Amino acid sequence: MPVDTTELLNVLRSPSGIDFYPVVIQVLMVLTWAMHMFFINITIGSLLMTIVGYVQRDLKWRKLSQKTIKIAIISLSLGIVFGVAPLLFTQVIYDNLWYTANNLSAWLVILFVPIVILAYYAAYFFYFRNRDRSPSWLVLFPLLSLAGILYAAAAMHIFSYQELFPDKWVDWYTNGGTTMNTSGWHVYAFSVPRYLFFILLSLFVFGIYMKGYAWFFSKREDMDQSFVAWFGQVGQKLAAVAGALLVLDAILYNALQGTLGHPVIWGTVGFVAVVWALLMAWSRSSAGWVAPTLVGLAFFSDLAVGIMREAIRMIELAKFNHTIYDYPMHLNIFGPVLFFGTLGVGIAVFAFVLYVLYKGGRRAGVYEASKVETANTLWRFAWFTVVMWLVIFWGTGVIVLANLNNY
Amino acid sequence: MGQDLLGFYPQWYVPNFGSGYVVAAIASTHVLFSHISVGASFLLAYLLYKAYKGNHEEIYAYVKRYFLVLLLTSYIVGSLTGPGIWFSTTVSNPRGISALIHNFVWAWAAEWVWFVTEVALVYIIYYIFDKIDRRTLMHISWVFAVVSWGTLLLIVGILSFMMSPGSEKWFHTGNIMDSFYNPNYFPQVAVRTSFTVALAALMGLAIATRMRESKLRQELVREVSLIGIGGLLLAGMSMIWYLETLPDRAKTTLDFAIPEAFKNTIFISIILVALVFAFFYALPKANRSLAFLALLMVVVLGLTIFPQERIREWLRKPYIAGDYLYVNQIVARDVPAKGVKSEIPFIDEHGFLKVHPFVPASAKTVTPGNMLEAGRAMAMISCAHCHSLDPAGPRPLVQKLEQVSTRPDVIYQFIERRLSGDPHQGAAPYMPQIAGTDEEIRALAAYLADITKQYVESKRATEQAAR
């Protein structure tokens, strides 16, 4: 007797349920995924431009590759750390989908770690060796790095895509009810338009980021301003081409998925199209607000894509009468208090360091932040909140344990 | 229950190696690099304070180099192997990691806040090291130290719960706090924090080999060595406290089931590291070989951290998490506050093969014709999380059963006794209770007898060929 998909989706949920409103976890998942994707987009885009820049004969392009590889290694780090949160939240509300999709193709997720480590070291090696007159074969390293990151992207794509077919999981794994595919080497589903969509998104977002980079360093007297301006123009061209292809590919993928008619899909794809139109409309504007506004909109494009991705998942699951909103819940507020409290402290710390980074980054020479009242105030507040976090954290522990021993 | 299935996932199996070793390799690597980064954050904040007070340019150069090494090691390998533990446990023990995720999502989310802050800060510190005044640099480094430690403070709550909730309270309240702050929490924080300092000191000695010889370098080597000895001493003392807080089941396993060689290896490797610290404290000029210290770190990874991680996993048995979820994915006791019910009665009544969604239709019902196929499916879902079904890998069943019998009926009796869950019948405290119908257990015994027989015959043939 075939397995009932609705029952399967329900029984694969954690028997202990969740401890807070699923919609809150869903919002956090989409939001943090957008942050993760923003940095991964920058990583992929910057690695590609590193390769393109390095193979040109013009020294200007070589210098571009020196800038973009530095962007790549930092954004890869940030992409990884921001990726932890959506990975966490998806395991809470989509545990049934995530664990199954991973176990169907187990080796893909295991190889993810060593391959990204190798990609990272290849990028770092290139970063240290990339000089104005370094040999052309060195380009193998950013190529290797990009290949590694694209592998990781493919693995994540496969999991996310296999998630959308719960009615096929058992047949896939058992070869139609005859065996158990325990090897973990199988790939059961792959969508080229969907995968390509994220690559194009990377080029679109990174092109805009290059414009933002040019804006940020436009006041630096110790930098070659003609190069900085050119850097931004390259970004404009990249984003213009990639953005147009991105919108077309989004329409193609949703048409193939059968989700094109849904209003959320129209809204999110439409938003990306509007951002692309604004990029084109403001292409010749020299106003100071244009580049930072576009960078903000690039992030919101990632957020729109995150919402689109989530909408597709919900549409597909609705076919099996499955929704995360009825996930059994045992409300417990201590956990959310711990998280949101820690988040508040983290924001206080970021307010201090980002202020110092912004002010210091936009000028030449040493920035004397400790002589600036605003920086000092932000530092004192950040330190106070961090110490208070420790006090409350330890204090709670002592109280809980004292009560535990009396239980 | 009003349902036919239970929530078991597709199973991944690595022949002759075991998915558990994959997890252990990733986890041990993560422990080494993440612990170095936590200890280093305090060491570097202290050194920046010292450099600021004494205006020591050489210390600034040392600290900057240390930060670069951290970026290239802990913040690549450590950062990736962290999610790597999730990835590997997702495919080796999905319900185990799911149980932890669903109880501790917010603690993990809080840890993520510190993780993001920590990684952002390490990049900011390194890249603006010479572009910012040194007082501010020192301030940022102290924040970096506390948030880096914060990641450890949060993850230890989850790790200690894995060993045991430590009381009955959590089962009845379901409150995250009652499981996070369990009796094992503070001792484990003390052990790990002390050990991070020692590891950071070891890394510190390695980086000091790249400094040119000077009085300041010698002072630094001596100071770092002393810090290393202090870290090890504190870790040793905290370990006594830690062992006291283990559940009785784990203490029995530690005393009677874990080979002495495992424990001795850890002890000797720690003494070796302590002696190295003492040697460099006495003769700081001798600290010149980067290769030696890199090798020592590999020794620590292989002979201290890896066996320690294996022992910690062993001590949890038969559970994978929270004293309620067996390592073979079966919920083994009720957690009333969470509405969790033991799955053993349901499986005993309906059959493990039947309620497992990813067992093929051809093996769902045991018949004389599919005995071995159904038995293999049973072995896969009941045993293969810990035991290799092949001659090599973790705890191969054929090597164990070779000493019992190759007869299905004897193996059946052995399973019934050894996995009865009742110590009076001879059940091992670290083995889960067998779940399934009598036919399924007989099929399992038939399969195990078959592979053991094949193993014994092939071994005999090899021995004869060798003669």
Side-chain angles (χ1 to χ4, degrees), chain A residues 20 48-49 55 72 97 165 209 237 243 276 311 347 380 387 396:
Chain A
F20 206 61
L48 195 84
M49 290 311 288
V55 297
L97 279 67
F165 304 96
Y209 179 86
K237 285 178 194 161
W276 177 77
I347 290 169
R380 279 194 296 269
V387 172
T396 309

Side-chain angles (χ1 to χ4, degrees), chain B residues 29-46:
Chain B
T29 310
H30 177 72
V31 167
L32 175 67
F33 287 105
S34 61
H35 278 43
I36 287 174
S37 71
V38 173
S41 66
F42 278 101
L43 180 65
L44 296 178
Y46 163 70

Side-chain angles (χ1 to χ4, degrees), chain A residues 180 182, chain B residues 13 15-16 353 366-368 370-384 387-391 396-398 401 405-409 411-412 415 439-455:
Chain A
M180 289 169 85
T182 55
Chain B
Y13 176 71
N16 291 309
L353 299 171
V366 181
T367 63
N370 74 354
M371 196 69 128
L372 292 183
E373 185 196 358
R376 180 170 170 79
M378 269 299 279
M380 193 59 83
I381 60 181
S382 303
C383 320
H387 294 278
S388 174
L389 307 184
D390 300 290
L397 286 172
V398 287
L401 293 172
S405 175
T406 54
R407 281 173 47 193
D409 55 330
I411 292 179
Y412 171 79
I415 293 170
E439 295 80 38
E440 288 177 339
I441 296 168
R442 286 188 187 281
L444 172 65
Y447 169 73
L448 294 178
D450 185 61
I451 58 171
T452 307
K453 200 171 163 193
Q454 286 177 34
Y455 171 70

Side-chain angles (χ1 to χ4, degrees), chain B residues 104-121:
Chain B
F104 293 108
V105 48
W106 300 108
W108 248 315
E111 193 216 356
W112 169 75
V113 172
W114 286 149
F115 182 40
V116 170
T117 313
E118 181 192 9
V119 172
L121 286 182

Side-chain angles (χ1 to χ4, degrees), chain A residues 107-113 115-116 146-156 195:
Chain A
W107 272 111
L108 292 193
V109 79
I110 294 294
L111 290 176
F112 183 101
V113 174
I115 286 179
V116 176
L146 181 63
I149 301 304
L150 289 180
Y151 164 81
M156 287 301 141
Y195 182 61

